[in-house]
């Protein structure tokens, strides 16, 4: 039975473990792990070379290589164990261990000349293997002491970490203890019972498998490494690096999706002036937009059809600022979504505005219709509703020109014009015998007629109860209720005085009286414009608000033009 291929396979296994370690630790290679795997490969190569040798000299050469590899394998195992236990391996101890191992390696390498390690060596063939038979020299004690120190130290460190409950995985430490015990026993038991077939190559392979597991596991505890992996794999994220003097350093593939021109910029150079669009979008070396003052702040970038959010991060090493990292986050889909939402909102706003306008027009038509219906019962006031509304419109335009006096808003004037047709709505509650009387009222009839403002306020409040515009409702109720009040307090129905009278009612009173003066009624002839404006002028401070009355008189040219064209019987 030829067992030589077993040792050759162990060598190739060691080679495979190195490749696997590189593949799973490309982002963060650990030098102690790496040296452990390399020295194990050297040791297993020595074992394979020794068992295939046909001469004592070749077998001794392989044996010496395996011993030297083992010495350094064990030496690099200890700092790996220390790292796994989250402890520090001080340099003096590490250097002393290295010197001790180096001395033993020199003794092993020169044993042929001084017989300090092996003596009286010869070879035998067993199971196809070339086995070296020899006597151990005095230096073997130091080798065994070396192995004992390292293995006992590793066990003590692991046990102490488990008992101290430090920030380490106790599960991993228990596996590590098992590995150390198995490794030690696999060397001592064959040595104690005199088995000449060396089991260490496969012990090393088992150890390597464990350490590959540990290296992958330890990486999951490294938050910085996890962040690096997350950033590398983030879809839609790109990065551009600059040094402290704004020289271009590097970029990733995702950054090219936003700025393909990055490929044309030389490393360690400034972004050329010819790349003006790129410089502008990144605020590169802008005098009015310093990167330092905008670190960790987002700003938007539009590059063709792509949109991105850029954040500038400072790169620091040991608190020294080394440069800048520009993070680009693809925001194209979000911006397109926002655009579609904005477009939808505009269409919706336009549709709502159109519908609101339709509803408002319908409300205005209904209000005018009700007012016209009420007016049709009054023989003496034909066309009064329409004329006073137009008169208020002219008055409102003039009022807006006197903001220094009135401080009225355009919305107030708009609502006043809209409320004007409702000022006499209370007449619907007046008896027909009074309302349709062709002549003057008796005192009793006049008292009944004076009830229409209060009744009109109640009717208006009910008519507008479902309308959400509180300002319009208030103005319309006040216009109906108080348009017959007088500045000196002699009006009705409440006898309010001065500014106690709501402004909208004071304004309505001017238009209402003016139309009554210049219009023909069944009980009187129409007065001339001169007479009408003279009456209003004389009643300022008595019937009318003096300030508002002066502004109303300023409307005379527009009012005369309107009445000449609109009133056929003047």
């Amino acid at each position: 039975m030829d067992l030589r291929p077993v040792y050759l396979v162990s060598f190739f296994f060691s080679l495979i473990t190195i490749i696997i370690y590189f593949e799973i630790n490309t982002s963060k290679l650990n030098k102690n792990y790496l040296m452990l795997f390399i020295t194990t490969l050297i040791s297993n190569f020595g074992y394979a070379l020794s068992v295939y040798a046909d001469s004592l000299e070749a077998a001794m050469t392989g044996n010496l290589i395996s011993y030297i590899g083992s010495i350094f394998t064990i030496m690099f195992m200890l700092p790996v164990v220390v790292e796994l236990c989250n402890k520090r391996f001080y340099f003096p101890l590490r250097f002393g261990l290295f010197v001790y191992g180096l001395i033993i390696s020199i003794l092993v390498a020169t044993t042929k000349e001084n017989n300090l390690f092996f003596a009286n060596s010869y070879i035998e063939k067993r199971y196809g293997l070339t086995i070296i038979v020899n006597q151990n020299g005095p230096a073997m004690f130091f080798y065994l002491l070396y192995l004992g120190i390292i293995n006992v130290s590793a066990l003590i460190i692991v046990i102490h970490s488990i008992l101290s409950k430090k920030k380490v995985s106790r599960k991993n430490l228990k596996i590590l203890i098992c590995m150390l015990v198995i490794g030690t026993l696999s060397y001592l038991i064959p040595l104690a019972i005199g088995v000449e077939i060396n089991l260490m190559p496969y012990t090393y392979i088992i150890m390597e498998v464990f350490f590959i597991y540990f290296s992958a596991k330890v990486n999951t505890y490294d938050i910085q490494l996890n962040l690096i992996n997350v950033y590398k794999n983030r879809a839609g994220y790109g990065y551009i690096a600059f040094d402290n003097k704004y020289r271009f350093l590097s970029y990733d593939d995702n950054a090219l999706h936003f700025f393909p021109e990055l490929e044309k910029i030389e490393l360690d150079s400034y972004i050329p002036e010819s790349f003006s669009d790129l410089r502008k979008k990144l605020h590169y070396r802008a005098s009015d937009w310093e990167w330092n003052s905008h670190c960790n702040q987002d700003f938007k970038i539009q590059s063709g059809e792509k949109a991105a959010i850029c954040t500038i991060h400072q790169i620091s090493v040991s608190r020294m600022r080394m440069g800048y990292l520009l993070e680009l986050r693809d925001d194209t889909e979000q911006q397109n979504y926002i655009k579609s939402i904005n477009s939808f909102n505009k269409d919706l706003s336009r549709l709502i505005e159109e519908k609101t306008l339709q509803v408002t027009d319908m409300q205005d038509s209904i209000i005018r219709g009700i007012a016209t219906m009420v007016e049709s019962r009054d023989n003496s006031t034909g066309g009064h509703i329409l004329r006073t509304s137009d008169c208020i419109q002219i008055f409102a335009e003039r009022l807006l020109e006197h903001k220094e006096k009135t401080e009225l808003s355009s919305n107030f004037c708009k609502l006043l014009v809209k409320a004007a047709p409702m000022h006499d709505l209370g007449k619907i509650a007046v008896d027909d015998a009074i309302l349709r009387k062709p002549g003057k009222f008796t005192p009793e009839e006049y008292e009944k007629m004076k009830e229409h403002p209060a009744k009109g306020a109640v009717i208006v409040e009910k008519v507008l109860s479902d309308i959400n515009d509180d300002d319009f409702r208030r103005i319309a109720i006040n216009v109906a209720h108080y348009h017959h009040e007088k500045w000196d307090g002699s009006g009705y129905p409440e006898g309010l005085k001065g500014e106690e009278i709501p402004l909208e009612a004071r304004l309505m009173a001017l238009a209402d009286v003016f139309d009554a003066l210049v219009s023909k009624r069944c009980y009187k002839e129409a007065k001339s414009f001169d007479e009408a404006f003279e009456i209003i002028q004389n009643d300022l401070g008595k019937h009318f608000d003096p300030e508002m009355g002066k502004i109303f008189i300023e409307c005379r040219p527009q009012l005369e033009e309107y009445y000449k064209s609109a009133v056929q019987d003047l």
Side-chain angles (χ1 to χ4, degrees):
M1 182 179 180
D2 190 351
L3 295 180
R4 290 181 298 176
V6 173
Y7 287 86
L8 190 61
V9 169
S10 70
F11 166 71
F12 284 109
F13 266 128
S14 296
L15 183 61
I16 290 170
T17 55
I18 291 179
I19 296 171
I20 294 173
Y21 174 74
F22 267 97
E23 286 298 320
I24 66 176
N25 293 278
T26 51
S27 56
K28 188 179 181 182
L29 290 173
N30 185 300
K31 63 180 181 180
N32 291 319
Y33 280 90
L34 184 59
M35 293 303 299
L36 177 67
F37 287 117
I38 292 174
T39 54
T40 301
L41 177 68
I42 293 171
S43 180
N44 285 351
F45 171 73
Y47 285 122
L49 182 62
S50 176
V51 299
Y52 271 91
D54 292 326
S55 65
L56 176 61
E57 186 174 357
M60 286 295 292
T61 301
N63 195 41
L64 295 178
I65 291 173
S66 68
Y67 265 91
I68 293 172
S70 296
I71 290 169
F72 287 99
T73 295
I74 298 301
M75 187 186 75
F76 284 109
M77 179 195 72
L78 187 58
V80 168
V81 171
V82 171
E83 283 187 22
L84 288 172
C85 294
N86 198 23
K87 294 182 179 295
R88 290 185 63 187
F89 196 6
Y90 295 99
F91 178 77
L93 296 175
R94 186 168 186 157
F95 182 74
L97 188 63
F98 174 77
V99 171
Y100 191 173
L102 184 62
I103 292 171
I104 296 174
S105 298
I106 293 172
L107 293 175
V108 172
T110 60
T111 189
K112 186 177 178 181
E113 288 76 20
N114 53 38
N115 294 323
L116 290 174
F117 215 87
F118 300 116
N120 303 321
S121 301
Y122 62 92
I123 60 173
E124 291 182 357
K125 289 283 187 177
R126 296 175 189 171
Y127 306 107
L129 304 175
T130 298
I131 297 176
I132 300 174
V133 181
N134 53 37
Q135 294 177 347
N136 293 328
M140 180 59 75
F141 169 77
F142 296 101
Y143 174 71
L144 294 175
L145 179 62
Y146 175 79
L147 295 181
I149 290 172
I150 292 179
N151 278 279
V152 171
S153 298
L155 284 169
I156 291 173
I157 291 169
V158 174
I159 292 171
H160 180 267
S161 295
I162 292 175
L163 296 177
S164 63
K165 297 181 179 179
K166 284 193 173 182
K167 197 175 179 180
V168 290
S169 169
R170 299 182 71 186
K171 174 185 173 183
N172 289 347
L173 295 183
K174 290 176 183 178
I175 295 172
L176 188 57
I177 285 181
C178 294
M179 186 197 73
L180 292 173
V181 171
I182 291 170
T184 303
L185 293 177
S186 66
Y187 180 77
L188 294 178
I189 291 175
L191 188 65
I193 64 178
V195 176
E196 295 176 346
I197 297 176
N198 201 323
L199 301 177
M200 288 309 295
Y202 279 94
T203 302
Y204 288 149
I205 289 172
I206 293 171
M207 181 179 68
E208 285 182 309
V209 171
F210 276 119
F211 280 124
I212 285 176
Y213 164 77
F214 288 137
S215 67
K217 189 73 174 176
V218 166
N219 286 343
T220 63
Y221 302 136
D222 191 331
I223 189 66
Q224 292 183 345
L225 183 61
N226 289 336
L227 286 173
I228 291 171
N229 290 331
V230 167
Y231 272 83
K232 284 174 61 179
N233 297 319
R234 289 172 97 178
Y237 280 67
Y239 298 92
I240 311 171
F242 295 86
D243 69 10
N244 211 23
K245 295 184 178 180
Y246 301 95
R247 287 180 293 225
F248 176 64
L249 297 180
S250 60
Y251 60 90
D252 67 355
D253 291 339
N254 286 332
L256 288 177
H257 294 161
F258 299 104
F259 302 114
E261 58 267 38
L262 290 172
E263 285 187 310
K264 302 176 183 178
I265 303 174
E266 294 183 8
L267 301 185
D268 287 318
S269 66
Y270 298 105
I271 296 179
E273 296 284 349
S274 57
F275 290 75
S276 57
D277 186 55
L278 176 59
R279 290 170 65 101
K280 181 178 179 181
K281 287 174 181 175
L282 297 181
H283 301 282
Y284 181 76
R285 302 184 77 182
S287 58
D288 59 340
W289 207 93
E290 284 290 333
W291 282 2
N292 287 332
S293 59
H294 288 82
C295 282
N296 302 316
Q297 295 180 9
D298 295 343
F299 61 93
K300 293 182 179 181
I301 291 174
Q302 189 72 37
S303 182
E305 295 182 355
K306 284 189 169 292
I309 296 175
C310 183
T311 307
I312 301 171
H313 303 282
Q314 281 190 349
I315 303 172
S316 300
V317 178
S318 300
R319 296 185 179 180
M320 292 180 61
R321 194 179 68 199
M322 304 299 293
Y324 304 92
L325 182 69
L326 272 63
E327 179 185 79
L328 302 168
R329 305 190 297 279
D330 194 339
D331 198 43
T332 307
E333 185 175 344
Q334 182 72 11
Q335 291 302 316
N336 289 339
Y337 175 74
I338 291 173
K339 286 180 182 177
S340 64
I341 289 293
N342 289 339
S343 177
F344 174 77
N345 286 341
K346 287 180 181 178
D347 291 341
L348 184 60
S349 297
R350 180 178 51 80
L351 182 61
I352 291 174
E353 188 176 345
E354 291 176 356
K355 294 298 181 184
T356 302
L357 187 60
Q358 290 177 4
V359 171
T360 302
D361 290 343
M362 187 180 300
Q363 289 176 346
D364 291 348
S365 297
I366 292 172
I367 290 171
R368 283 180 176 270
I370 294 173
T372 302
M373 178 185 67
V374 172
E375 187 181 56
S376 67
R377 297 178 58 239
D378 187 350
N379 289 333
S380 64
T381 59
H384 177 68
I385 295 295
L386 176 61
R387 292 193 302 273
T388 52
S389 297
D390 291 340
C391 187
I392 281 289
Q393 177 69 54
I394 294 170
F395 191 13
E397 291 173 1
R398 176 66 66 169
L399 287 168
L400 289 175
E401 296 176 4
H402 287 275
K403 287 189 176 180
E404 76 286 351
K405 293 182 180 179
T406 63
E407 296 183 357
L408 297 180
S409 67
S410 58
N411 186 59
F412 172 85
C413 293
K414 179 181 177 182
L415 296 179
L416 176 60
V417 172
K418 185 176 177 180
M422 308 180 74
H423 74 280
D424 273 340
L425 213 57
K427 288 183 178 180
I428 198 171
V430 177
D431 189 274
D432 278 354
I434 298 173
L435 191 64
R436 301 176 70 86
K437 184 177 179 180
K440 288 187 176 183
F441 299 133
T442 65
E444 293 79 11
E445 292 172 338
Y446 184 57
E447 289 301 318
K448 288 286 186 183
M449 191 66 177
K450 285 165 62 176
E451 295 176 0
H452 82 271
K455 292 180 178 179
V458 174
I459 294 170
V460 170
E461 186 172 9
K462 290 181 179 179
V463 170
L464 302 182
S465 60
D466 293 330
I467 293 178
N468 294 325
D469 194 336
D470 292 336
D471 289 338
F472 173 57
R473 188 163 54 248
R474 174 182 54 78
I475 290 171
I477 292 171
N478 286 342
V479 163
H481 200 173
Y482 303 114
H483 69 282
H484 283 295
E485 298 286 355
K486 295 182 179 182
W487 184 260
D488 60 7
S490 62
Y492 63 89
E494 305 292 340
L496 300 181
K497 185 177 181 180
E499 292 188 357
E500 293 177 354
I501 307 168
L503 177 60
E504 50 268 28
R506 284 179 265 152
L507 300 176
M508 189 69 226
L510 285 159
D512 186 41
V513 171
F514 178 77
D515 182 73
L517 291 173
V518 298
S519 300
K520 183 180 179 180
R521 299 288 173 87
C522 61
Y523 55 85
K524 75 171 188 70
E525 292 295 324
K527 294 187 180 296
S528 68
F529 292 119
D530 288 337
E531 291 174 315
F533 281 109
E534 184 179 352
I535 293 171
I536 289 176
Q537 178 68 51
N538 292 334
D539 274 351
L540 295 183
K542 298 175 184 177
H543 189 157
F544 307 113
D545 181 332
E547 290 298 325
M548 297 299 105
K550 290 176 183 178
I551 298 173
F552 182 81
I553 292 171
E554 291 179 12
C555 301
R556 177 170 179 170
Q558 292 84 3
L559 290 172
E560 286 188 15
E561 182 180 355
Y562 167 74
Y563 275 88
K564 286 176 182 178
S565 61
V567 183
Q568 299 297 322
D569 58 345
L570 287 179

